[in-house]
Amino acid sequence: MQNATIKVALIGNPNVGKTSVFNQLTGLNQQVGNYPGITVEKKQGICKLSETIKAKIIDLPGTYSLNASSIDENVVIELLLNKKDEDFPDVAIVVTEVENLKRNLLLFTQIKDLEIPTILVINMADRMQLKGIELDIPALEKELNTKIALVSSRKKTGINELKSLIINYNSLSTEPCLNASIIDPEYFDNLRRAFPNQLLYKLWLVITQDVNFLNLERNEIKNSFTKSHSDLKRLQQKETIKRYQFINDTLKIGQKVDKTKATNLRAKLDRILTHKIYGYLIFFGILMLIFQSIFDWSTIPMDFIDETFTSLSTYTKNNIPAGEFTNLLSEGIIPGISGIVIFIPQIAFLFLFISVLEESGYMSRVVFLMDKIMSKFGLSGKSIVPLISGTACAIPAIMGARNIENWKERLITILVTPFTTCSARLPVYSILISLIIPEERVFGFLSLQGLTLMLLYLLGFGMAIVSAMLLNYFLKLNCKSYFVIEMPSYKVPMFKNVALNVIEKTKSFVAGAGKIILALSVILWFLGSHGPSSNFKNAEKIVIQEMTKNKEELSTEAIDNKTNSYKLENSYIGIMGKTIEPVIKPLGYDWKIGIAVVSSFAAREVFVGTLATIYNVGNHGEEEVTIRKRMAAEVHPVTGEKIFNFASGVSLLLFYAFAMQCMSTIAIVKKETNSWKWPLIQFVFMSGFAYLTALIAYQILK
Amino acid sequence: MKKILSDLKIGEKGYIDEINIDEIPLKLLEMGCLPGNLVELIQIAPLGDPYYFNINDSHVAIRKETANEIIIITENAI
């Protein structure tokens, strides 16, 4: 009987449009998570095949073969070798691309050897005519022992055929295409005799992998069959040659290519985009466009969100019966949520650009352009992708360093990426810049505030480069450096892929950071509106007593204000703030900023929300005031000077530029480097450096 | 004529003759960098490294030091 939910694994080389096929099959029914125990992204979705039958589609990381050289690739192999895994597929779909069929089929023949029912998808079928390619599908199906779906995810053709192939997966052949064991019959015979109940190709994979497997006893196999690493590699080469021979023979029968029809768009674009001068000019032009969009274009929706939430908070305060709950809502929860929602425009813009650059195939050219420069700093050309994605968020960026082959280059990339200006710094930067930098233009069109932001980005990037050089000099790790990158053909990005990616990334950012911010806002509100001593409870009495003692005449409003600030100072948070004040005073901060800075060590974006909460607790006025106006109005109670002046503003900007204030990043670095050593070194170095620069800046400027 | 892969000029082609298997990542073999296959140099990065090849219809960029481990026979010699 057929299972009501068929488990399907989607496998394929990078850049073959696997994600497009996944999106076509699943649409909005997708979920993204991590594989248990590791941070590799796990994407799955539901596809409705018929009224009664559904398929659970698992999108596996892109891989060139079943020989794992990275954690991503390891995920694929571990799943395919472990029949007990709950995601073990009923059927595997190998996605290939018309133009690179030869290379793509290598992976296909390996998966066939694992005797899993396999469907071959040939994607980008709409390009066939353009490239002068003809395919004899029945002949290919016969040679490859499988069923083929000719799909164009761009033109949305072939998806229904693919769905009906999935429904009828039981009729697929599980025979391998070729006999790989003839590369060394004696060795494979021994192997077969020693493990009679195991699949031969599976044994061979386990022996040759560089990575550890969870579920197979690898050592046992190793001891009885020793071959040197070098010999094994020669055998793998033989195997690869063997597979290519089979593929070439197959394609001679099933594929005709008319080379005269091949258009050479790729060559032409490559000549421009990787040109000595134009190449760099275009790249920096694109970077400028990204920064412009972050600061200039996204301020419009951001201002709107800011003001909407401020009025919502005031409305709640004035229209819901007063009490603890109303206070929590209007002073804790609403400002907290606002502190998250306000970043959405900027994050969406960033992920939009990054995903368009990736989808179009341009990112690989940037890697190519930058490799030589980056290698001078101990990085790889591939580090440019983490460093650019780091402008959105360090977490996916650090995960993106996984495809760097050399451990030292990868480690340095991981350690320096948090210096790049992530979107969590943006709200802090934009509010501080708007407070301390005048809204003027230079040369008539360049905004001074925009330039300051650009400068801060460059500062972060420069710091990343400088620390990379230091690490390269001091780290004594001996690793062989390999660099292999595919240059995919250029494609117009598909709207659906880009949109889904932007929505997905923004959603996970809001959910991830949102939880922390909301929780902190509620805690801060509680700590700010409750106090331990009788001073807190009797604030009003004490203020009036003081007043009469000093023979002051004050309006009721002024008495209220005095009472509130007295309350805040004697609340839990006030006491905590006063305790740490000696440490932060040399940087130019008062205890309120201090609290915001300290809570920012959970996540930077908490800064604005924290100040919003603290100032809200201290203010029970009825007027609508945005957080920016409130910060601008904040004055020192004794000196009467503005709290956010140029010196303290610069000091804060520098502190946020350099300090490691993100728990999630620390967690991810721990996972990716598999030790506490690196995240701790990173934390101490970055935060120490931040303190020092902020201190120097304030002392000079004040 | 036998040459080292990195000696090719832009646009020049050759057939792979020999590779130093201990120095070449397996990934490159799997992308079709195997004896007998055709390879063309498409572009050299602005600062002289890496090199961008079309190997057996795979478009890949590798560093010069890797390209030094591959010996080819240039086309006009055949």
Side-chain angles (χ1 to χ4, degrees):
Chain A
M1 217 195 88
Q2 206 154 36
N3 208 329
T5 305
I6 304 169
K7 284 180 284 183
V8 181
L10 214 54
I11 308 163
N13 288 184
N15 310 312
V16 292
K18 199 159 59 71
T19 307
S20 309
V21 173
F22 177 76
N23 287 343
Q24 292 294 348
L25 283 172
T26 60
L28 288 166
N29 300 314
Q30 319 186 343
Q31 266 187 325
V32 181
N34 284 338
Y35 286 91
I38 44 170
T39 46
V40 175
E41 205 171 70
K42 178 180 187 172
K43 246 181 150 180
Q44 53 184 45
I46 300 293
C47 171
K48 205 174 170 202
L49 298 169
S50 74
E51 282 305 312
T52 50
I53 308 166
K54 279 188 292 188
K56 184 170 124 185
I57 320 266
I58 300 157
D59 189 19
L60 290 168
T63 176
Y64 287 102
S65 74
L66 289 185
N67 301 308
S69 56
S70 69
I71 317 169
D72 273 359
E73 291 173 339
N74 196 23
V75 166
V76 180
I77 301 156
E78 248 177 48
L79 177 62
L80 293 182
L81 293 189
N82 182 13
K83 283 202 168 147
K84 287 181 199 132
D85 193 300
E86 56 159 355
D87 287 336
F88 186 81
D90 298 313
V91 54
I93 297 179
V94 177
V95 184
T96 61
E97 186 214 349
V98 163
E99 278 180 79
N100 291 319
L101 202 51
K102 200 197 287 175
R103 194 194 61 222
N104 292 175
L105 282 176
L106 184 82
L107 176 66
F108 173 81
T109 64
Q110 284 186 311
I111 289 174
K112 281 291 276 180
D113 280 5
L114 291 174
E115 301 181 7
I116 299 169
T118 308
I119 298 168
L120 180 65
V121 165
I122 302 180
N123 194 12
M124 306 192 198
D126 54 306
R127 285 191 171 212
M128 278 210 299
Q129 228 183 349
L130 193 75
K131 299 282 168 184
I133 299 170
E134 264 178 69
L135 294 178
D136 182 349
I137 298 294
L140 285 175
E141 286 186 335
K142 187 166 158 281
E143 292 297 315
L144 296 169
N145 239 328
T146 189
K147 286 284 173 195
I148 296 177
L150 206 54
V151 166
S152 162
S153 46
R154 191 170 293 269
K155 298 259 153 74
K156 300 188 176 79
T157 58
I159 295 291
N160 287 334
E161 288 79 355
L162 174 60
K163 285 183 183 170
S164 63
L165 285 180
I166 299 174
I167 296 180
N168 299 313
Y169 77 92
N170 275 328
S171 60
L172 290 167
S173 154
T174 52
E175 289 274 307
C177 306
L178 74 157
N179 181 6
S181 64
I182 58 167
I183 54 172
D184 189 341
E186 197 191 333
Y187 180 74
F188 277 88
D189 275 347
N190 282 334
L191 206 60
R192 190 180 289 125
R193 247 175 269 132
F195 303 93
N197 300 323
Q198 290 279 7
L199 195 63
L200 195 60
Y201 191 62
K202 194 163 155 179
L203 291 171
W204 169 240
L205 280 179
V206 175
I207 291 168
T208 51
Q209 300 305 314
D210 281 335
V211 277
N212 280 311
F213 288 93
L214 302 168
N215 302 301
L216 279 161
E217 284 303 318
R218 187 180 172 189
N219 295 337
E220 186 191 345
I221 301 174
K222 258 235 155 121
N223 292 337
S224 38
F225 292 91
T226 34
K227 259 187 186 290
S228 74
H229 183 74
S230 182
D231 282 343
L232 280 177
K233 207 171 164 194
R234 277 196 177 82
L235 266 186
Q236 284 179 302
Q237 184 192 10
K238 268 185 146 179
E239 184 199 337
T240 312
I241 294 175
K242 182 83 211 142
R243 289 185 189 280
Y244 268 116
Q245 272 169 1
F246 167 78
I247 293 163
N248 283 336
D249 292 344
T250 305
L251 290 182
K252 252 177 221 153
I253 302 167
Q255 185 192 43
K256 280 196 192 79
V257 184
D258 179 1
K259 289 258 176 181
T260 56
K261 277 196 183 168
T263 52
N264 235 346
L265 180 69
R266 187 209 307 244
K268 276 180 204 154
L269 275 174
D270 270 343
R271 222 165 289 145
I272 303 166
L273 294 177
T274 62
H275 187 270
K276 267 185 268 215
I277 299 156
Y278 307 133
Y280 290 118
L281 283 181
I282 292 168
F283 177 47
F284 288 115
I286 291 173
L287 284 185
M288 286 289 279
L289 184 73
I290 295 177
F291 295 132
Q292 190 65 26
S293 72
I294 297 165
F295 200 65
D296 245 18
W297 305 347
S298 52
T299 45
I300 301 158
M302 287 177 80
D303 285 345
F304 173 74
I305 294 169
D306 193 13
E307 273 160 36
T308 311
F309 272 92
T310 310
S311 17
L312 184 67
S313 173
T314 315
Y315 179 86
T316 317
K317 208 181 287 179
N318 297 342
N319 290 280
I320 298 180
E324 276 292 84
F325 177 72
T326 308
N327 286 347
L328 173 65
L329 205 62
S330 64
E331 294 166 5
I333 293 176
I334 293 175
I337 293 174
S338 143
I340 306 154
V341 173
I342 197 156
F343 318 144
I344 292 176
Q346 291 177 326
I347 288 163
F349 264 122
L350 271 165
F351 281 119
L352 177 76
F353 278 104
I354 286 167
S355 98
V356 166
L357 293 184
E358 291 261 22
E359 271 253 318
S360 61
Y362 179 68
M363 213 59 130
S364 304
R365 272 69 187 184
V366 175
V367 169
F368 177 69
L369 276 178
M370 300 299 284
D371 184 62
K372 182 77 183 182
I373 303 175
M374 303 295 268
S375 66
K376 288 203 170 107
F377 306 122
L379 298 162
S380 151
K382 291 181 185 176
S383 313
I384 196 78
V385 182
L387 289 178
I388 293 177
S389 336
T391 55
C393 176
I395 295 152
I398 284 170
M399 284 159 70
R402 256 190 220 130
N403 64 350
I404 298 172
E405 292 88 349
N406 174 312
W407 166 239
K408 187 177 173 184
E409 289 173 349
R410 186 171 157 228
L411 179 65
I412 296 178
T413 308
I414 290 172
L415 294 179
V416 305
T417 294
F419 274 121
T420 52
T421 306
C422 70
S423 51
R425 288 188 179 97
L426 265 175
V428 184
Y429 284 178
S430 46
I431 208 158
L432 289 172
I433 286 176
S434 68
L435 284 173
I436 62 167
I437 305 287
E439 209 171 314
E440 275 167 24
R441 292 191 178 253
V442 279
F443 308 123
F445 66 98
L446 282 171
S447 128
L448 207 56
Q449 297 187 338
L451 277 178
T452 312
L453 186 75
M454 179 88 188
L455 198 71
L456 281 162
Y457 269 91
L458 289 177
L459 193 68
F461 194 77
M463 197 53 208
I465 295 290
V466 170
S467 12
M469 280 166 76
L470 287 176
L471 285 165
N472 188 32
Y473 183 77
F474 286 112
L475 278 180
K476 297 279 173 260
L477 293 169
N478 204 7
C479 336
K480 198 147 237 148
S481 176
Y482 289 133
F483 176 83
V484 179
I485 184 169
E486 195 195 354
M487 307 286 255
S489 54
Y490 291 101
K491 293 176 199 90
V492 178
M494 278 175 73
F495 175 76
K496 191 173 185 175
N497 292 354
V498 174
L500 280 170
N501 192 23
V502 171
I503 293 171
E504 179 46 50
K505 291 274 161 64
T506 314
K507 224 166 68 184
S508 68
F509 179 89
V510 171
K515 266 182 239 151
I516 303 175
I517 296 173
L518 198 58
L520 271 173
S521 304
V522 174
I523 294 170
L524 286 169
W525 167 83
F526 177 84
L527 294 175
S529 51
H530 296 79
S533 64
S534 55
N535 280 359
F536 182 84
K537 278 188 205 118
N538 304 322
E540 201 169 349
K541 239 188 254 167
I542 295 170
V543 169
I544 292 172
Q545 265 172 16
E546 285 261 311
M547 228 171 57
T548 32
K549 210 168 74 188
N550 297 341
K551 295 197 170 106
E552 273 180 291
E553 289 277 332
L554 285 175
S555 66
T556 37
E557 200 188 327
I559 295 173
D560 263 1
N561 275 342
K562 260 209 147 142
T563 313
N564 286 329
S565 60
Y566 189 82
K567 260 187 169 171
L568 191 58
E569 270 172 52
N570 286 287
S571 67
Y572 291 106
I573 208 167
I575 294 162
M576 285 161 69
K578 297 271 177 183
T579 319
I580 59 160
E581 208 167 18
V583 184
I584 50 156
K585 213 172 180 179
L587 308 185
Y589 316 151
D590 69 348
W591 65 268
K592 288 180 194 170
I593 303 177
I595 289 292
V597 169
V598 169
S599 49
S600 292
F601 275 94
R604 296 180 181 91
E605 53 274 48
V606 169
F607 178 78
V608 180
T610 305
L611 284 181
T613 309
I614 294 179
Y615 292 152
N616 263 314
V617 172
N619 187 336
H620 288 270
E622 298 194 353
E623 77 281 26
E624 283 181 25
V625 179
T626 64
I627 175 69
R628 184 183 305 178
K629 285 180 193 149
R630 197 156 279 160
M631 282 167 80
E634 191 75 359
V635 288
H636 197 276
V638 182
T639 57
E641 273 176 43
K642 280 201 167 161
I643 292 282
F644 291 95
N645 53 32
F646 188 69
S648 66
V650 171
S651 157
L652 267 173
L653 284 175
L654 289 174
F655 192 85
Y656 275 83
F658 299 135
M660 171 68 142
Q661 295 166 297
C662 182
M663 287 194 305
S664 318
T665 305
I666 293 175
I668 214 89
V669 172
K670 196 253 152 187
K671 257 183 186 168
E672 296 286 308
T673 60
N674 205 15
S675 89
W676 276 110
K677 180 182 162 195
W678 298 114
L680 281 176
I681 290 176
Q682 200 175 19
F683 178 81
V684 171
F685 176 75
M686 289 181 69
S687 305
F689 186 76
Y691 188 87
L692 210 67
T693 42
L695 178 73
I696 294 169
Y698 181 73
Q699 294 303 330
I700 291 174
L701 293 172
K702 74 167 178 184
Chain B
M1 197 176 66
K2 286 198 182 188
K3 266 188 183 179
I4 296 171
L5 184 55
S6 53
D7 285 341
L8 279 181
K9 292 188 185 67
I10 289 179
E12 207 181 352
K13 291 176 189 169
Y15 289 93
I16 296 171
D17 185 43
E18 231 181 289
I19 49 182
N20 181 355
I21 182 89
D22 292 321
E23 297 297 325
I24 297 289
L26 189 61
K27 203 167 166 190
L28 201 56
L29 302 179
E30 288 164 355
M31 290 174 124
C33 181
L34 294 164
N37 283 341
L38 188 67
V39 45
E40 176 191 352
L41 177 62
I42 297 178
Q43 179 77 281
I44 300 173
L47 299 171
D49 201 8
Y51 284 53
Y52 171 11
F53 296 102
N54 178 352
I55 303 177
N56 193 38
D57 292 334
S58 289
H59 290 70
V60 289
I62 54 177
R63 285 187 189 152
K64 195 174 178 177
E65 54 179 19
T66 309
N68 284 340
E69 303 295 336
I70 300 167
I71 294 170
I72 50 155
I73 304 173
T74 45
E75 219 182 14
N76 44 15
I78 298 163

